[in-house]
Amino acid sequence: MILVTGGAGFIGSNFVIDWVAESNEPLINLDKLTYAGNLQNLAEIQDDSRHIFVQGDIGDKKLIAELLEQHKPRAVVNFAAESHVDRSITGPDDFIQTNIVGTFNLLEAVRAYWSALADREKADFRFLHVSTDEVYGSLKPDAPAFTENHPYEPNSPYSASKAASDHLVRAYHHTYGLPVLTTNCSNNYGPYHFPEKLIPLMIVNALAGRPLPVYGDGMQIRDWLFVKDHCSAIRRVLQAGKLGETYNVGGWNEKANIDIVRTVCRLLDEQKPRADGKSYSEQITYVTDRPGHDRRYAIDASKIERELGWKPAETFETGIRKTIDWYLTHGDWVANVQSGSYREWVETNYGNRK
Ligand SMILES: NC(=O)c1ccc[n+]([C@@H]2O[C@H](COP(=O)([O-])OP(=O)(O)OC[C@H]3O[C@@H](n4cnc5c(N)ncnc54)[C@H](O)[C@@H]3O)[C@@H](O)[C@H]2O)c1
């Protein structure tokens, strides 16, 4: 049994679906169901007895202690976080509360549980913390990509709160010996991505005939990884990662935002041409840049390949095609997210469940 937190969000739900498909080991999925948590993402496994969903907060030490006591997991994988940089700029409080205080409370509950385990279980236990490349700050155009030794220089309230959580996780290993692992991943894309983030926002707006808002000059560079590849990296680190180590996870795919948007437009032109025959790229509009917007992130993912034999299965070209196909065939999911009716769906489907 493993305990996953934040498993109703974008990456967490992909992880949970893949876990159930690839393993017989049950999991408890603890998620607060903020605006970003959507149980509809997990509809395909809602009747699978290996998946136990619990609505709750990682900051609720009592609840976590009860879940650990009751289910005795051999590992905790922590996805739960506030994750949207723009929201962290307009309202940082939730980021401090969940990403820092929440992770701290989770660590405290896990430490108490782990300390009381028998020697064998104690040695086998793992706490895997899922983090981001944004903690490293912004790179100059010709600087080498981030390695695991790059200094932390977070620039947004989001990345600062994730950096703080990474430091807590590290300290719990150093001070208490808690068997931790941390992954720092680049930008993910793929199914179930909430349409406030760049790629799904562009797909959804393009299809709805709305403007495609590009921040500043659109030349902000990110590394992009298909979400299923991130999930396989996490499974691999959980299985074979060296205790106390951090692993950078990336797709070797540095791209400027404007190139991402143009690629999305090109593929939509191919797969769902506009009625007027013009390109979706006509909808691109440049808008005022995000304050403090980092110019470039790049991940050097050679450590995880060298030490654990992991590398991404998808190139950007194959991953983005799968993503666009998914959005074109899941209009209902998009409509429910946009109207907020996924919250009612949760009530209808889960209201009577324990
Ligand atoms: N999306 C990316 O590109 C990316 C890249 C690298 C790392 N990450 C990290 O991966 C993790 C998951 O990211 P995501 O994009 O899936 O985020 P998301 O916002 O889609 O999902 C976050 C999930 O956590 C839940 N949650 C929020 N606060 C909670 C709390 N206090 N207690 C319990 N659950 C809570 C939400 O309900 C939601 O289901 C985050 O830690 C994020 O920092 C994301």
Side-chain angles (χ1 to χ4, degrees):
M1 168 75 86
I2 66 166
L3 169 63
V4 171
T5 72
F10 163 47
I11 305 173
S13 61
N14 277 284
F15 180 85
V16 167
I17 289 168
D18 289 358
W19 185 271
V20 169
E22 298 197 9
S23 148
N24 272 327
E25 188 175 12
L27 64 87
I28 319 149
N29 178 0
L30 173 79
D31 195 296
K32 187 176 174 182
L33 297 182
T34 67
Y35 80 95
N38 182 353
L39 280 177
Q40 209 169 1
N41 299 2
L42 300 163
E44 66 187 86
I45 55 163
Q46 72 178 29
D47 295 322
D48 195 309
S49 58
R50 288 169 298 174
H51 173 235
I52 302 163
F53 180 78
V54 178
Q55 183 169 6
D57 194 318
I58 56 165
D60 184 345
K61 257 197 289 191
K62 187 166 164 285
L63 172 65
I64 308 280
E66 282 165 11
L67 288 174
L68 294 170
E69 229 15 81
Q70 186 188 349
H71 297 285
K72 306 217 177 308
R74 67 167 179 95
V76 173
V77 183
N78 183 31
F79 291 95
E82 288 293 335
S83 71
H84 190 41
V85 178
D86 288 330
R87 286 178 189 259
S88 84
I89 294 169
T90 52
D93 305 54
D94 288 346
F95 290 73
I96 306 304
Q97 210 48 49
T98 284
N99 300 0
I100 306 181
V101 181
T103 305
F104 163 67
N105 284 332
L106 179 65
L107 281 166
E108 276 294 89
V110 169
R111 179 168 77 90
Y113 163 73
W114 170 78
S115 305
L117 289 175
D119 286 351
R120 181 66 201 271
E121 281 86 49
K122 215 171 168 178
D124 289 346
F125 186 81
R126 297 289 180 271
F127 181 94
L128 192 154
H129 181 60
V130 180
S131 192
T132 166
D133 60 355
E134 302 198 23
V135 297
Y136 297 125
S138 189
L139 282 172
K140 294 263 181 284
D142 51 355
F146 302 128
T147 66
E148 290 77 0
N149 297 322
H150 198 280
Y152 271 38
E153 287 176 346
N155 289 323
S156 71
Y158 164 64
S159 54
S161 65
K162 289 297 290 186
S165 66
D166 292 9
H167 289 322
L168 284 169
V169 170
R170 178 192 150 86
Y172 271 62
H173 177 66
H174 193 78
T175 304
Y176 304 112
L178 191 71
V180 308
L181 299 155
T182 299
T183 54
N184 293 90
C185 188
S186 57
N187 278 27
N188 285 215
Y189 65 97
Y192 302 115
H193 206 179
F194 199 83
E196 64 182 354
K197 307 273 171 85
L198 182 70
I199 290 179
L201 180 71
M202 294 301 149
I203 299 173
V204 167
N205 275 13
L207 295 173
R210 286 195 292 265
L212 306 180
V214 173
Y215 283 144
D217 61 2
M219 290 307 292
Q220 307 84 0
I221 292 172
R222 304 287 181 264
D223 174 78
W224 293 90
L225 181 69
F226 189 60
V227 64
K228 300 286 180 188
D229 278 330
H230 188 188
C231 296
S232 73
I234 291 169
R235 290 198 302 276
R236 183 67 189 137
V237 172
L238 188 60
Q239 186 182 46
K242 217 167 127 211
L243 294 189
E245 296 276 318
T246 65
Y247 294 90
N248 282 356
V249 183
W252 302 103
N253 269 312
E254 271 187 69
K255 300 213 182 286
N257 285 351
I258 186 64
D259 293 332
I260 296 285
V261 177
R262 290 198 188 287
T263 303
V264 167
C265 291
R266 180 170 51 78
L267 293 176
L268 286 175
D269 288 343
E270 254 174 59
Q271 294 185 34
K272 193 148 173 75
R274 266 173 45 160
D276 62 5
K278 292 186 178 162
S279 171
Y280 287 102
S281 57
E282 304 235 338
Q283 290 164 233
I284 295 173
T285 51
Y286 291 88
V287 299
T288 311
D289 207 352
R290 167 193 285 165
H293 206 171
D294 288 336
R295 283 304 275 182
R296 176 174 169 241
Y297 307 136
I299 275 276
D300 180 337
S302 46
K303 175 178 171 182
I304 187 171
E305 180 170 351
R306 193 175 58 246
E307 295 188 7
L308 305 182
W310 175 90
K311 54 183 183 190
E314 302 289 345
T315 62
F316 185 71
E317 286 63 34
T318 59
I320 193 71
R321 276 187 187 275
K322 287 185 178 175
T323 305
I324 286 180
D325 282 350
W326 189 88
Y327 279 89
L328 286 175
T329 50
H330 289 77
D332 289 355
W333 182 89
V334 172
N336 284 340
V337 166
Q338 287 186 314
S339 69
S341 64
Y342 68 101
R343 299 195 175 281
E344 289 154 34
W345 186 92
V346 169
E347 193 42 46
T348 315
N349 283 272
Y350 286 85
N352 295 324
R353 291 168 195 250
K354 292 260 181 236

